Amino acid sequence: VNALRAIRGSLSDPNGFLNSWNRGDPCVANWTRVICYNVTAKDDGYFHVQELQLLRLDLSGTLAPELGQLSRMKIMDFMWNKITGSIPKEVGNITSLELLLVNGNQLTGSLPEEIGFLPNLNRIQIDQNNISGPIPKSFANLNKTKHFHMNNNSLSGQIPPELSRLPSLVHMLLDNNNLSGYLPPELAQLPKLLIIQLDNNNFSGSSIPPSYGNITTLLKLSLRNCSLEGPAPDVSGIPQLGYLDVSWNQLTGPIPSGQLASN
């Protein structure tokens, strides 16, 4: 209860959507957009918050570090508000967290290393903010994460080659950032990858790794406007590839003669 009150206290709620957050038990008195488990935890006899569904409420203010005290939360949803400040590192304490949804805000600061140690995280959705700094190498530990939606931010530096260890990743959306360095050839080791979307970054002096032609699961490869050099990729070995964009680069040499997927 104290954690929820602190979360409410750090937000500005001009339309009064959260006025109910001041009476009784959040799990019994129906606090707006607070969803609890419908049974008490066997180990402590208390109800626990399962979801915070605070999307599209015109909220501003910041995300309180007390979010980390909601230790059994599965869904943290603040999408499409006007929240500023950074993602608190204490979010890394919510080991049950499955969906981290903060896209469409005005968040700044860097991504906390601590998020990389969330064992149940399925989706990290931070797109359309102004988050800066590097992608933490700790994110290579996110064994259950399927979706990296980190596009339209100000992320910088090298894409960590360590991300090639992610066994579940299907969407790598990092377009429209300030990433640089080289394209890690190791990403071809990702066993379930469907989409690589890296448009509008600056990998100056780097080429497209030939290994990307071996990502047989791939449906989309988009590397538009990335200052890439060298030969065009041979993607004739990708059976279901439906979308290839390598425009607005400085590629040279012949167009590969291998036959593309029929779709």
Side-chain angles (χ1 to χ4, degrees):
V1 177
N2 287 337
L4 286 169
R5 285 181 176 144
I7 293 162
R8 168 70 184 86
S10 69
L11 294 169
S12 175
D13 173 27
N15 299 308
F17 288 117
L18 308 184
N19 286 348
S20 62
W21 285 34
N22 60 9
R23 56 172 187 266
D25 184 324
C27 294
V28 178
N30 291 328
W31 287 22
T32 302
R33 306 285 190 97
V34 178
I35 298 167
C36 297
Y37 294 91
N38 55 16
V39 292
T40 58
K42 291 177 182 172
D43 54 359
D44 64 9
Y46 290 102
F47 290 103
H48 287 271
V49 174
Q50 183 176 19
E51 304 178 21
L52 279 186
Q53 293 280 13
L54 301 180
L55 67 160
R56 297 187 189 274
L57 296 181
D58 202 28
L59 301 172
S60 55
T62 59
L63 298 175
E66 286 83 358
L67 279 161
Q69 295 175 26
L70 302 178
S71 58
R72 314 215 183 192
M73 183 161 58
K74 289 187 175 181
I75 298 177
M76 174 183 150
D77 185 349
F78 286 88
M79 295 189 296
W80 307 111
N81 285 292
K82 300 172 183 173
I83 297 169
T84 55
S86 57
I87 301 173
K89 68 180 191 300
E90 288 80 4
V91 169
N93 297 332
I94 315 172
T95 53
S96 55
L97 196 65
E98 295 174 9
L99 303 182
L100 173 57
L101 310 175
V102 295
N103 51 297
N105 281 284
Q106 297 165 18
L107 294 167
T108 55
S110 56
L111 287 169
E113 290 268 351
E114 289 81 359
I115 289 175
F117 300 102
L118 291 172
N120 294 296
L121 195 64
N122 172 281
R123 180 185 293 249
I124 175 167
Q125 204 160 288
I126 62 164
D127 48 294
Q128 299 192 52
N129 282 285
N130 197 27
I131 295 167
S132 58
I135 300 168
K137 291 180 181 178
S138 65
F139 281 24
N141 298 302
L142 294 169
N143 287 338
K144 289 190 178 179
T145 305
K146 294 182 178 180
H147 296 272
F148 273 6
H149 292 202
M150 305 191 204
N151 44 306
N152 294 280
N153 277 288
S154 298
L155 297 171
S156 59
Q158 171 69 44
I159 297 173
E162 291 85 353
L163 298 183
S164 62
R165 300 204 304 259
L166 293 166
S168 306
L169 193 68
V170 294
H171 288 180
M172 178 178 278
L173 310 185
L174 296 170
D175 49 292
N176 297 291
N177 278 291
N178 297 321
L179 296 168
S180 58
Y182 63 93
L183 295 181
E186 297 90 342
L187 296 182
Q189 299 166 21
L190 290 163
K192 296 184 177 178
L193 196 60
L194 301 178
I195 296 176
I196 297 179
Q197 196 163 292
L198 303 176
D199 320 68
N200 302 312
N201 284 289
N202 185 10
F203 304 111
S204 180
S206 176
S207 58
I208 302 171
S211 62
Y212 287 15
N214 302 327
I215 310 177
T216 55
T217 52
L218 213 56
L219 303 178
K220 179 178 183 178
L221 177 62
S222 197
L223 303 171
R224 177 186 179 94
N225 189 33
C226 285
S227 301
L228 291 162
E229 304 171 6
D234 180 0
V235 292
S236 58
I238 305 179
Q240 295 297 320
L241 189 71
Y243 185 102
L244 172 68
D245 190 347
V246 291
S247 58
W248 294 90
N249 284 294
Q250 288 86 49
L251 303 182
T252 53
I255 296 173
S257 57
Q259 188 164 355
L260 295 173
S262 60
N263 57 336

